[in-house]
Amino acid sequence: MHTALFSAFFGKEGTLHILIVEDEKNTRVALTECIRGFGFAFEKILVAENGKQAVEIFEKERPEIIVTDIRMPGGSGIELAEKIYATDRQAAIIFLTAYSDLGFMKKALQVDAVDYILKPVSPDELRMALGKAIENTNSFARKNTELLRGRFFRDFLLEQKRFAPREFARICRELQFPQEGLWYGIIAVERLQVEILNAESYWAFENPEYASLDASPLGRLIQDTLGDFPFVYSFAASRERILNICGIIKESPDDVLYQAAVRLGDRIYEECFEKATVKVGCLKRELAGLKDDPQEYRKVRLTCDIPVLPQKAGITEKDRHIVECIQRYIAANYSDTQLKIGDIAEELCYTDAYLCMVYKKVTQKTINDYLNMYRIEKSKYLLEEGRHKLAKIAVSVGYSNENYFSKVFKKYQGMSPKEYQTCSYRKNRKNE
């Protein structure tokens, strides 16, 4: 499907991985040699002796096709298939067995096996089953599409490469970009230091900077947060910068994109405890009009700033780690009106008193102070929006009633929530 375009971008053919799971050594070797002789584009032919070893290899290598014995010591091929499908529904599985057992055959069909081959295996039958598996998974085209999209957007946005209209339309068709009815914008996420931005966490080809984030934990978080858009593609522009291209079908796309960027920044903080810099810009009616130009971006104001932990004598790395865990837990659970220090202590397996002592030692504040400040920062954003009633805002940030919320807000901000809302409205009108 993408052969010409793939060769033009990368200059070499793509490949597939296959895993052979067979407890009998001679059969394992024979299957390996037979498959190698078929001439399919398998970059790796992996082998496993049992189901447990197969799961470990699958999690590490993610082969697209699995050929497995249906009866093995330490777990059947059916159980292996169920574990694989729980991770990747696109995997293609072929069962082998020496038993013409209708019960096993029915189970194999129930877990969506591509084929079921009786031993001794006929080479022609195996070749046909593998051909069917390659066609069914379509993983070659699927992987290449992700790689090509990453390379395309890097060339297009970062290198400012441009294409003739007819060529651009062809590339859009091949890479499955929506071509009509959408506005396109970019959400840039910068200054990330999380471990999930290393080359082993997502698809990479020669250079990890061409990588899609589709298969990474961060990529799944982005997709979950931005999943309401008709089209979202995220790729690593560098190890410190991620670009998210969003297709928007809304009357006010600028506002929609901005609010989505706020949500994404907050989610990254809550899940990864990273204070990312988030920017939006480059909103265009046509995909061809996108630019990665610093002049077209504006920085997003996230709903809460992360306090920087001070470097002080007598504070150990363990102390700092505990405080970060406390703040991470609060970020994920602040909206719970029943949240107590005891809940945090139970989660972290420490006593209440020990957590309070460590937190005060590191930050010079109490845990309750931090919880209230965090909730107030979240509420300020909602107040500035001006679309929610005070009672609803109070509950959404973790306060059981409006009066108590107002009392706490005034303590930390020096004014009531309504006064803050009025000041914010006047400020925005003045800036307009």
Side-chain angles (χ1 to χ4, degrees), residues 132-150:
K132 182 179 176 183
I134 293 171
E135 182 180 349
N136 284 7
T137 60
N138 197 28
S139 59
F140 178 63
R142 187 161 44 89
K143 274 191 177 181
N144 287 352
T145 297
E146 293 303 321
L147 293 167
L148 287 168
R149 281 180 171 179

Side-chain angles (χ1 to χ4, degrees), residues 116-181:
Y116 181 105
I117 302 175
L118 293 177
K119 295 179 179 178
V121 177
S122 160
D124 288 340
E125 201 172 355
L126 180 59
R127 185 200 296 268
M128 290 178 62
L130 289 175
K132 182 179 176 183
I134 293 171
E135 182 180 349
N136 284 7
T137 60
N138 197 28
S139 59
F140 178 63
R142 187 161 44 89
K143 274 191 177 181
N144 287 352
T145 297
E146 293 303 321
L147 293 167
L148 287 168
R149 281 180 171 179
R151 180 62 186 265
F152 166 77
F153 277 123
R154 180 175 176 80
D155 285 348
F156 186 62
L157 296 174
L158 307 185
E159 305 298 332
Q160 300 297 304
K161 183 176 180 180
R162 288 296 176 258
F163 304 90
R166 182 174 295 181
E167 183 185 10
F168 189 83
R170 177 179 63 81
I171 292 173
C172 286
R173 287 194 302 273
E174 291 206 20
L175 299 185
Q176 301 169 26
F177 297 136
Q179 297 184 53
E180 296 180 357

Side-chain angles (χ1 to χ4, degrees), residues 95-331:
F95 287 116
L96 308 176
T97 183
Y99 307 91
S100 55
D101 187 316
L102 288 177
F104 270 113
M105 186 179 292
K106 287 179 181 178
K107 288 182 180 178
L109 294 174
Q110 287 171 358
V111 294
D112 296 327
V114 170
D115 215 333
Y116 181 105
I117 302 175
L118 293 177
K119 295 179 179 178
V121 177
S122 160
D124 288 340
E125 201 172 355
L126 180 59
R127 185 200 296 268
M128 290 178 62
L130 289 175
K132 182 179 176 183
I134 293 171
E135 182 180 349
N136 284 7
T137 60
N138 197 28
S139 59
F140 178 63
R142 187 161 44 89
K143 274 191 177 181
N144 287 352
T145 297
E146 293 303 321
L147 293 167
L148 287 168
R149 281 180 171 179
R151 180 62 186 265
F152 166 77
F153 277 123
R154 180 175 176 80
D155 285 348
F156 186 62
L157 296 174
L158 307 185
E159 305 298 332
Q160 300 297 304
K161 183 176 180 180
R162 288 296 176 258
F163 304 90
R166 182 174 295 181
E167 183 185 10
F168 189 83
R170 177 179 63 81
I171 292 173
C172 286
R173 287 194 302 273
E174 291 206 20
L175 299 185
Q176 301 169 26
F177 297 136
Q179 297 184 53
E180 296 180 357
L182 297 183
W183 289 81
Y184 288 91
I186 301 178
I187 299 176
V189 181
E190 301 172 349
R191 293 177 56 195
L192 272 178
Q193 302 297 323
V194 288
E195 288 297 320
I196 46 182
L197 274 181
N198 61 44
E200 296 176 356
S201 296
Y202 50 84
W203 297 124
F205 193 93
E206 290 185 337
N207 187 339
E209 293 184 356
Y210 295 154
S212 160
L213 292 171
D214 183 61
S216 73
L218 182 58
R220 289 192 290 272
L221 184 151
I222 291 170
Q223 288 292 329
D224 181 49
T225 307
L226 304 179
D228 291 339
F229 291 118
F231 175 79
V232 179
Y233 185 80
S234 306
F235 78 105
S238 70
R239 291 189 180 276
E240 294 80 31
R241 189 162 182 258
I242 296 167
L243 293 181
N244 306 284
I245 293 85
C246 302
I248 310 170
I249 184 165
K250 295 282 185 181
E251 292 182 2
S252 304
D254 189 49
D255 183 59
V256 171
L257 191 71
Y258 187 90
Q259 299 302 331
V262 172
R263 289 198 309 273
L264 181 59
D266 287 346
R267 279 293 304 279
I268 289 173
Y269 165 46
E270 291 172 4
E271 297 293 330
C272 308
F273 205 60
E274 279 286 336
K275 185 179 181 180
T277 296
V278 183
K279 300 176 182 178
V280 296
C282 307
L283 200 71
K284 303 292 180 182
R285 186 62 174 172
E286 300 295 335
L287 183 63
L290 282 180
K291 294 181 182 178
D292 184 44
D293 184 346
Q295 301 301 317
E296 296 196 36
Y297 283 99
R298 60 185 175 120
K299 190 174 178 181
V300 172
R301 179 182 178 272
L302 302 181
T303 61
C304 187
D305 287 334
I306 301 171
V308 177
L309 299 184
Q311 297 284 357
K312 292 183 179 179
I315 295 176
T316 66
E317 283 303 312
K318 178 184 176 183
D319 293 337
R320 293 172 62 80
H321 176 70
I322 289 174
V323 170
E324 289 175 355
C325 288
I326 292 170
Q327 292 177 344
R328 187 181 297 115
Y329 188 89
I330 287 174

